[in-house]
Amino acid sequence: MPASILVVDDVEDNRAVLRDRLESQGYRVALAADGEEALRAVAAAPPDLILLDVMMPRLDGIETVKALKAD
């Protein structure tokens, strides 16, 4: 089974580019537009790797990491 990667970025084009490149290498890719979506995605299906933008609205990358580590 291929590794799963969660891409978290508030810029849709960035998510699309990363998704296309990673999927072309055989990875399963999930997308989230902010930290809150990322936390829900991790709870539903924990990925093998998270690529996380730092500067995002609602819940930024630093706060998202803190929430993930606290869980």
Side-chain angles (χ1 to χ4, degrees):
M1 176 177 270
S4 62
I5 300 175
L6 174 61
V7 174
V8 187
D9 197 311
D10 59 317
V11 178
E12 186 175 353
D13 288 343
N14 292 348
R15 293 192 309 270
V17 167
L18 284 167
R19 181 198 60 226
D20 292 347
R21 296 225 175 183
L22 293 167
E23 286 180 345
S24 75
Q25 296 299 309
Y27 296 102
R28 289 183 299 124
V29 179
L31 304 174
D34 60 45
E36 291 178 0
E37 281 186 30
L39 293 176
R40 288 192 298 273
V42 169
D48 296 304
L49 176 71
I50 300 172
L51 298 178
L52 179 63
D53 185 17
V54 173
M55 296 176 58
M56 296 182 293
R58 297 183 353 167
L59 188 62
D60 68 28
I62 301 299
E63 292 303 315
T64 302
V65 169
K66 288 179 183 177
L68 289 167
K69 289 179 81 174
D71 187 19

